[in-house]
Amino acid sequence: MSNEIVAPGSLPMQAGAGNLPPGYDSLLRDIKAEIGSAHLRVHRVINTEMIEHYWRIGRIILERQEREGWGTKVTTRLSADLRTSFPNQRGYSPRSLRYMQHLASVWPEAIGPQAVAQLPWGHVRTLLDSLDDRPTRDFYATEAVRHGWSRNVLVHHIETGLHLRQGVALNNFDATIPEGTDLLKELVKDPYRFDFTRLGDGHSELDLESALVDHVVRFLQELGVGFAFMGRQYPLQVGSQHFKMDLLFYHARLHRYVVVELKIGRAQPEHLGKLGFYTAVVDDKIRDPERDDATLGILIAAHRDEDVVQYSLRGTNQPLAVTTYRTLPAELRPLLPSPEDLARVTHEVLEKHGGAEAREA
């Protein structure tokens, strides 16, 4: 006979999964989500405290240097003494101390409220190494925090000059979408950098489309956070006629479909007419009006005439943008590794990694 005491109004919990009360799976899922969120919050607090700690060290060194005229030799000696005093702690090499000074000089005010304080130290070093002015560093720090960029994605956007390309595409969002136009303008870049396609001069629209789909991960990275690829040559039936859109995406954060049309020449009024037609059809036949906002259309062309585009955009009530793309300059293409080279390097890395794992086992 069981001696288990059961509280009034409750059911005894048995070991078997079949005896669990209704709703247990939901309970477990919610608690696991809370634990995961707590770990993330704790990690962010620890990371911010570490960045503030590095900033305070850099501030102390800078103030003493300014007051007492210290040189770089003092930093080297300071590093050695710190590592002697704290042998089990890393991060106080002469190079790291110089980064801390640089951090404190770029952000002389308290670092805590700044976006950069929420980034990992590797991201912060990238900002310090790659950029020369405070506003540009703040732009990338803010975007990296907002979108959760990895360090590689941050480097990619810095190298391709995102701060110069974001929000400058010609569009009619102000006239066609009453709210949230700033976010939509940030969504579109000009030009898009398609270096990863390896396309040379004289490529066709089919070549461009195929290359983008073949490198869809890189393409999504260039488009930005939130884009999900829905299909290529996406079919639409209107009346008795069949049409195919070049590319269809869904933006998970903005809850909008995005139609992308590709042109290897100059953007023309008829291109925008067709794009507006596609977005209207997607709105009516694919979009869920209770969940999704109005569909966007983006025309990506090799060239554009600003006056022609502006007049064309005025002639439609569909939210459209016109932008351009660039591929890798001809003089740089020979410097790229071939697919065979990449495959060989990948194989060597995997073999080396696998060998290391075997030795550890």
Side-chain angles (χ1 to χ4, degrees), residues 4-283:
E4 181 181 5
I5 299 176
V6 180
S10 67
L11 294 175
M13 294 287 290
Q14 302 293 333
N19 295 318
L20 293 173
Y24 175 80
D25 289 341
S26 175
L27 170 68
L28 178 62
R29 182 172 61 252
D30 291 346
I31 292 179
K32 286 168 67 176
E34 168 55 27
I35 293 172
S37 298
H39 287 170
L40 182 59
R41 291 194 298 270
V42 168
H43 175 75
R44 286 175 176 170
V45 169
I46 292 173
N47 179 79
T48 298
E49 177 55 37
M50 185 187 74
I51 299 301
E52 291 183 356
H53 166 63
Y54 287 165
W55 179 87
R56 288 191 291 267
I57 290 176
R59 187 80 251 150
I60 293 171
I61 297 174
L62 285 179
E63 290 174 352
R64 295 295 179 85
Q65 282 182 331
E66 292 170 1
R67 187 165 66 240
E68 303 177 23
W70 291 348
T72 56
K73 290 183 179 180
V74 174
T75 302
T76 302
R77 173 59 185 272
L78 180 62
S79 171
D81 288 340
L82 288 174
R83 286 187 286 181
T84 299
S85 300
F86 304 97
N88 296 323
Q89 295 189 31
R90 302 174 59 187
Y92 302 109
S93 67
R95 186 166 180 260
S96 293
L97 293 179
R98 286 191 287 273
Y99 272 121
M100 295 174 200
Q101 296 172 67
H102 197 183
L103 174 67
S105 67
V106 171
W107 286 275
E109 69 276 18
I111 196 71
Q114 311 300 321
V116 67
Q118 301 177 50
L119 292 175
W121 184 232
H123 287 56
V124 176
R125 294 199 309 268
T126 296
L127 294 176
L128 295 173
D129 285 339
S130 305
L131 301 166
D132 296 324
D133 63 280
R134 167 72 182 272
T136 308
R137 288 185 174 113
D138 282 338
F139 168 84
Y140 285 102
T142 300
E143 292 297 298
V145 170
R146 179 163 61 163
H147 299 302
W149 289 346
S150 69
R151 189 176 179 183
N152 286 340
V153 172
L154 173 62
V155 169
H156 166 77
H157 287 312
I158 290 175
E159 289 180 345
T160 58
L162 177 63
H163 66 293
L164 301 175
R165 301 187 292 126
Q166 183 172 281
V168 298
L170 299 178
N171 63 81
N172 63 356
F173 296 159
D174 286 330
T176 57
I177 300 176
E179 297 180 358
T181 55
D182 288 342
L183 281 176
L184 296 179
K185 290 175 183 177
E186 291 179 8
L187 186 73
V188 187
K189 305 179 182 71
D190 190 12
Y192 284 101
R193 296 294 300 270
F194 294 159
D195 299 350
F196 56 87
T197 62
R198 300 169 176 266
L199 290 174
D201 298 329
H203 60 268
S204 67
E205 288 176 6
L206 179 60
D207 293 334
L208 177 59
E209 181 182 310
S210 297
L212 293 176
V213 174
D214 288 344
H215 300 84
V216 68
V217 174
R218 295 290 303 276
F219 185 26
L220 290 172
Q221 179 178 307
E222 174 63 6
L223 288 175
V225 175
F227 278 91
F229 181 51
M230 304 299 293
R232 168 191 185 185
Q233 292 295 303
Y234 199 94
L236 294 175
Q237 181 171 351
V238 181
S240 61
Q241 298 187 57
H242 297 273
F243 301 88
K244 290 185 179 180
M245 302 177 291
D246 286 348
L247 301 167
L248 180 64
F249 297 87
Y250 186 80
H251 200 283
R253 294 190 174 182
L254 298 180
H255 302 288
R256 296 176 186 272
Y257 284 96
V258 181
V259 179
V260 174
E261 284 291 292
L262 304 170
K263 297 298 175 184
I264 60 170
R266 191 178 301 275
Q268 300 293 340
E270 55 267 29
H271 300 156
L272 285 169
K274 192 171 187 179
L275 180 59
F277 167 77
Y278 285 155
T279 58
V281 175
V282 171
D283 266 344

